[in-house]
Amino acid sequence: MSREMTAVDTRARRSAMLPPSLPPFGVTREQAAGLLSISASLFDSAVEAGTMPQPRVLGGRNIWDVDELWASFRALPHKGGMSRDPDELRPQGNAFDNAKKA
């Protein structure tokens, strides 16, 4: 059996240890981008711009905290600059958008 196949088998066994109803609280870069429905390269740009959080490091692996991703996503402005509460105005743009314009 190849080393690559062994790594895939190991990851599959690890994920099978947890019940499907238990959501992860740490995800990979690709999974984090998937949660946001964006490409991994756009996610990298958002992390670099500070719009998305930096990863945590465990055993040399980068792992993103799902709660931090959720909070960063919720902090993004709505199109048109309005929050869910119409009485609470938010400024236009964000660190990521502003970094792209510079």
Side-chain angles (χ1 to χ4, degrees), residues 24-102:
F25 48 84
V27 294
T28 65
R29 168 183 168 262
E30 292 80 10
Q31 290 169 325
L35 286 171
L36 297 166
S37 298
I38 60 176
S39 69
S41 60
L42 181 56
F43 179 74
D44 292 341
S45 297
V47 170
E48 187 176 313
T51 303
M52 288 294 125
Q54 291 290 322
R56 295 177 182 270
V57 180
L58 179 62
R61 292 189 59 203
N62 290 331
I63 302 171
W64 276 264
D65 182 312
V66 172
D67 290 335
E68 290 174 0
L69 290 168
W70 178 250
S72 295
F73 175 75
R74 298 291 293 182
L76 293 173
H78 287 85
K79 187 172 184 176
M82 296 291 289
S83 69
R84 287 184 300 153
D85 181 355
D87 295 328
E88 185 181 316
L89 294 175
R90 290 195 183 178
Q92 284 283 51
N94 56 53
F96 182 59
D97 292 334
N98 295 338
K100 287 194 308 187
K101 292 176 188 171

Side-chain angles (χ1 to χ4, degrees), residues 3-17:
R3 185 177 206 176
E4 196 172 291
M5 289 295 288
T6 305
V8 170
D9 292 343
T10 302
R11 281 193 297 267
R13 281 195 308 267
R14 267 189 244 143
S15 65
M17 288 182 210

